[in-house]
Amino acid sequence: MDSFIKNKEKYIDRLISSIPAVVCEYTISLTGEIKFFYISSKCKEILGYDSNFFLEDSNRFWNLIKDEDRKKILTAKNKIDFKSRFFEEVRIETANNGERWIQMSSLRSSDFNVENRVWKGFLFDITDKKIKENELKKMVIKDSLTGAYNKQYFYKRVERKIVEYLTFGNKFSILFLDLDGFKEVNDKYGHLIGDEILKTFVIKISEIIRPIDIIGRLGGDEFCILFSEMNLSQSMKIAEECRKIAENISVETDKGRVGITISGGIAEITDKTLDLFTLISRADEAMYLAKGIGKNSIVAVE
């Protein structure tokens, strides 16, 4: 009988270890603390630690979860305590300081009650899925050639900033940019060289603007930069840096190196420019003023 039980246990262990997920049983306390009672050996492969690491101290798993995802579990705990099942996607830090996405998919145990919130479930590695999702998101919101945000997404961000201005009074500015003589570059050197200049331009500009600012490609060689929480004079300083950076961009061709300059116009959000297209048009008009005074310059409008 003992032999039968042992063989059955080994069979179950082999069966569980073949499942492409960590099988576990745990509780979530009122404070959101996770305590494991069982965790399968797949733990080593997926989480980077063996099961004993978490069984000895369940807080170790809790502490591996990224802060914002941990807060998400705490926020949801009152909602999930009495549901029959729940799914939660969290990021964890693995043993080699990497990051993986884990989906916690759980069912209430048969003895689940108010005092004893026991869950049985799986921890799935969904990192590859998340990477593909992020790639698809980028394809939807970014220009495929330059990597700048596409026009639709850029407009949405500006509209969101307009709402913030109306709600909180947060200032922001728009810089409308155009590459001087870009058509002539395409005609003389070909579109491949033109494309290389556009890509290089976006890379260089992205390096000097702040993380909270974004650059969008509106079409052709027209770009727009959203300067968050910046007034006109502050935006003008960064715009001048962009202009100087552009002067130093050049691409090697069989006809020699070809460089570019830019002309730009800045418009600041005001009570007179609360419409997206009115604001963009103001910046566009200022850009044409810059073209009119000899190009390679930035003009700001009140």
Side-chain angles (χ1 to χ4, degrees):
M1 187 66 178
D2 288 343
S3 174
F4 172 78
I5 292 174
K6 286 180 180 179
N7 287 334
K8 186 176 181 181
E9 287 175 348
K10 288 180 180 178
Y11 171 76
I12 292 173
D13 285 342
R14 286 199 303 270
L15 184 63
I16 290 175
S17 65
S18 68
I19 298 172
V22 179
V23 181
C24 56
E25 187 173 45
Y26 60 94
T27 61
I28 300 180
S29 72
L30 289 173
T31 59
E33 180 184 3
I34 295 171
K35 182 175 173 125
F36 289 103
F37 296 102
Y38 171 80
I39 186 163
S40 68
S41 59
K42 204 73 172 179
C43 178
K44 179 70 174 177
E45 179 182 330
I46 292 179
L47 303 179
Y49 299 90
D50 61 39
S51 54
N52 287 330
F53 179 80
F54 298 112
L55 292 172
E56 290 169 1
D57 184 356
S58 296
N59 282 325
R60 288 170 175 168
F61 178 79
W62 180 248
N63 292 333
L64 289 178
I65 300 174
K66 296 290 184 179
D67 287 345
E68 59 191 272
D69 295 334
R70 194 183 310 142
K71 290 175 184 175
K72 184 170 58 176
I73 293 177
L74 284 169
T75 301
K77 71 177 178 60
N78 292 327
K79 298 178 182 178
I80 66 176
D81 278 345
F82 298 101
K83 285 184 177 180
S84 60
R85 65 168 58 208
F86 81 94
F87 297 90
E88 201 65 66
E89 295 180 353
V90 299
R91 290 161 298 163
I92 67 157
E93 187 175 321
T94 59
N96 60 357
N97 295 321
E99 180 180 288
R100 301 203 75 75
W101 275 95
I102 300 297
Q103 182 191 70
M104 302 171 67
S105 174
S106 302
L107 290 165
R108 293 193 314 189
S109 68
S110 56
D111 57 347
F112 184 99
N113 56 61
V114 176
E115 301 299 328
N116 192 39
R117 295 172 167 83
V118 181
W119 297 88
K120 300 188 285 193
F122 303 91
L123 303 178
F124 294 96
D125 184 350
I126 58 169
T127 306
D128 290 342
K129 171 178 169 281
K130 283 293 184 179
I131 290 173
K132 288 176 182 176
E133 284 179 0
N134 289 333
E135 288 174 349
L136 286 173
K137 284 179 183 177
K138 287 180 180 178
M139 289 173 64
V140 170
I141 66 175
K142 289 205 168 183
D143 172 52
S144 59
L145 173 65
T146 65
Y149 289 102
N150 62 32
K151 179 167 66 176
Q152 292 76 17
Y153 180 78
F154 184 84
Y155 283 174
K156 284 181 182 178
R157 289 289 295 268
V158 176
E159 287 175 334
R160 195 182 307 168
K161 286 296 178 182
I162 292 174
V163 172
E164 288 181 14
Y165 171 74
L166 289 169
T167 307
F168 306 108
N170 295 342
K171 286 279 190 177
F172 70 90
S173 299
I174 294 291
L175 170 62
F176 197 107
L177 295 172
D178 179 276
L179 275 62
D180 298 325
F182 187 71
K183 183 181 182 302
E184 288 74 18
V185 170
N186 274 336
D187 291 344
K188 183 175 180 179
Y189 299 99
H191 287 276
L192 289 179
I193 297 300
D195 288 350
E196 190 64 29
I197 286 176
L198 292 176
K199 289 188 285 186
T200 304
F201 171 72
V202 171
I203 290 170
K204 294 297 184 182
I205 297 301
S206 298
E207 289 174 354
I208 63 171
I209 63 176
R210 302 167 304 164
I212 61 172
D213 302 327
I214 64 168
I215 180 170
R217 186 185 183 194
L218 304 191
D221 61 324
E222 291 182 337
F223 295 86
C224 229
I225 299 177
L226 168 62
F227 293 121
S228 297
E229 300 172 21
M230 271 195 177
N231 59 32
L232 209 59
S233 61
Q234 292 169 326
S235 301
M236 189 67 178
K237 291 178 182 177
I238 300 182
E240 275 296 323
E241 289 183 36
C242 292
R243 186 188 63 78
K244 291 174 183 176
I245 286 289
E247 282 183 322
N248 293 319
I249 293 174
S250 64
V251 174
E252 185 66 52
T253 75
D254 55 4
K255 299 176 182 178
R257 296 194 71 84
V258 56
I260 59 165
T261 60
I262 60 172
S263 296
I266 303 179
E268 180 185 52
I269 184 69
T270 68
D271 292 341
K272 296 180 180 179
T273 55
L274 296 178
D275 172 76
L276 165 69
F277 293 106
T278 300
L279 181 60
I280 296 287
S281 294
R282 287 287 287 158
D284 189 21
E285 289 167 8
M287 185 271 292
Y288 276 103
L289 290 175
K291 292 276 191 187
I293 61 175
K295 303 179 181 179
N296 191 23
S297 58
I298 308 291
V299 171
V301 291
E302 298 291 341

